[in-house]
Amino acid sequence: MSFRRALALAACGLAGGSVLFSAVVVGKQPGRGGDAEPRPGSAATAVTPASAAPPGLLLLPPAAASCPPAPGWIERPAGTGSYWDSNWDRREPLALINLKKKNEETGEEELASRLDHCKAKATRHIFLIRHSQYNLDGRADKDRTLTPLGREQAELTGRRLASLGLKFDQIIHSSMTRATETTEIISKHLPGVKKISTDLLREGAPIEPDPPVSHWKPEAVQYYEDGARIEAAFRNFIHRADAKQEEDSYEIFVCHANVIRYIVCRALQFPPEGWLRMSLNNGSITHLVIRPNGRVALRTLGDTGFMPPDKITRT
């Protein structure tokens, strides 16, 4: 077992499972001529020669705590020796063809042709925009309209997106009032770009955060209902380009902080329970890139550098 692998096992176990070992680097002990040896009766003496640690690495018993189990809708990559699941969006070419229907006469040539037919060719650029500041005193969603400052923020975000000089394909936005109003203002700076409203991107509680926070504790049923919907939004909108797409695309999604933070964690295959460790300003821009091979990169997270300091809020 390599040193890096031992540390990985200690951190969270294989594929989100329980902790198997805790790895600790130990040096030479005073008065000894070589590396420290386990004391008789210690847990380290139970390690068999086949699984013995390299010199300088002491394997300790499992810790009491382990990584929290993920909800049923979160799929962890299988323990294949890699922590990146290349088929995370279920669009890997080999996953799209039925190998049982392989023509034995043409053999590998036909298989290669079918694989090439299923390969993505274009890159998707996804811009996740958090709505602008809104009226927190509104009792119903229709009353939670943008504040005057929020409208200024949306103008600044629209100008920033327009200044990029990109040919945006569409704006998909949450159906909530604050996201819809933000979209209307942004779209004035991007004439001709079609707008699509969806309930999938509405704000909610995606998954119980780890570590928990004391000031925000939704009911368990809210995680159950919102989590499945927000996960559905991720699966529906965040994936590599379709094989028929010939040119790179640039898409804008106007939604909410919780939704954006969860999507970023899922897209990068980070533990989704860590979504609340990030913070996003109103009107901020988060830029995800999805390559044809399924690799994902985060270009910017919550960028508001284009706003004057006195216009920046996080409500």
Side-chain angles (χ1 to χ4, degrees):
M1 179 185 296
S2 68
F3 179 76
R4 181 179 298 177
R5 187 63 174 157
L7 287 179
L9 290 174
C12 196
L14 282 170
S18 301
V19 175
L20 299 182
F21 292 102
S22 293
V24 179
V25 177
V26 295
K28 296 181 180 181
Q29 299 296 321
R32 295 189 181 183
D35 291 334
E37 297 179 359
R39 294 187 301 273
S42 67
T45 59
V47 178
T48 60
S51 59
L57 185 66
L58 177 63
L59 299 182
L60 301 178
S66 62
C67 292
W73 64 80
I74 303 295
E75 298 178 4
R76 301 294 195 189
T80 57
S82 172
Y83 289 99
W84 178 260
D85 179 10
S86 60
N87 193 32
W88 61 274
D89 58 352
R90 299 300 179 265
R91 292 175 182 242
E92 188 74 13
L94 272 175
L96 297 176
I97 64 176
N98 188 346
L99 295 177
K100 293 182 179 180
K101 293 183 178 181
K102 176 181 172 181
N103 188 325
E104 298 297 337
E105 295 181 1
T106 56
E108 297 299 327
E109 293 183 7
E110 184 199 9
L111 176 59
S113 175
R114 289 165 64 189
L115 285 174
D116 188 65
H117 180 74
C118 294
K119 286 181 179 178
K121 307 174 187 65
T123 295
R124 292 185 68 203
H125 292 263
I126 295 173
F127 293 83
L128 299 161
I129 313 299
R130 190 192 174 194
H131 60 78
S132 301
Q133 186 190 68
Y134 68 102
N135 177 23
L136 293 171
D137 296 328
R139 304 188 101 185
D141 177 62
K142 63 182 179 63
D143 302 319
R144 293 168 184 160
T145 55
L146 297 185
T147 64
L149 175 56
R151 302 187 70 82
E152 287 186 65
Q153 291 170 338
E155 290 282 356
L156 292 167
T157 303
R159 291 175 194 168
R160 172 59 176 169
L161 291 170
S163 72
L164 298 178
L166 301 173
K167 182 182 177 182
F168 289 103
D169 298 86
Q170 59 184 354
I171 303 176
I172 301 176
H173 64 91
S174 158
S175 57
M176 298 186 84
T177 300
R178 54 190 182 271
T180 301
E181 289 187 345
T182 301
T183 300
E184 291 301 323
I185 295 173
I186 288 176
S187 66
K188 293 177 183 178
H189 299 273
L190 302 170
V193 180
K194 65 179 179 180
K195 295 170 289 186
I196 302 172
S197 177
T198 176
D199 290 338
L200 289 179
L201 291 173
R202 292 174 73 91
E203 184 63 300
I207 188 174
E208 189 170 358
D210 182 29
V213 293
S214 58
H215 61 277
W216 188 74
K217 289 187 176 181
E219 296 293 331
V221 67
Q222 190 173 348
Y223 288 119
Y224 183 78
E225 294 175 353
D226 294 349
R229 172 179 55 78
I230 297 172
E231 172 67 16
F234 170 78
R235 297 192 185 196
N236 192 52
F237 298 124
I238 312 300
H239 52 76
R240 76 192 77 184
D242 187 90
K244 297 178 181 179
Q245 182 177 324
E246 298 291 338
E247 298 180 355
D248 294 352
S249 58
Y250 301 86
E251 304 158 73
I252 297 172
F253 293 82
V254 182
C255 49
H256 309 269
N258 294 359
V259 177
I260 294 172
R261 292 181 285 187
Y262 177 82
I263 284 176
V264 168
C265 286
R266 289 284 283 117
L268 297 177
Q269 297 188 28
F270 293 164
E273 298 87 355
W275 64 271
L276 200 50
R277 303 172 203 171
M278 293 179 278
S279 184
L280 300 176
N281 294 333
N282 295 114
S284 61
I285 300 174
T286 295
H287 182 185
L288 279 173
V289 179
I290 306 179
R291 300 294 182 190
N293 61 3
R295 299 287 179 87
V296 181
L298 180 64
R299 290 277 181 89
T300 61
L301 176 67
D303 176 30
T304 49
F306 52 88
M307 291 187 185
D310 61 336
K311 303 296 183 183
I312 295 176
T313 60
R314 195 166 54 249
T315 57

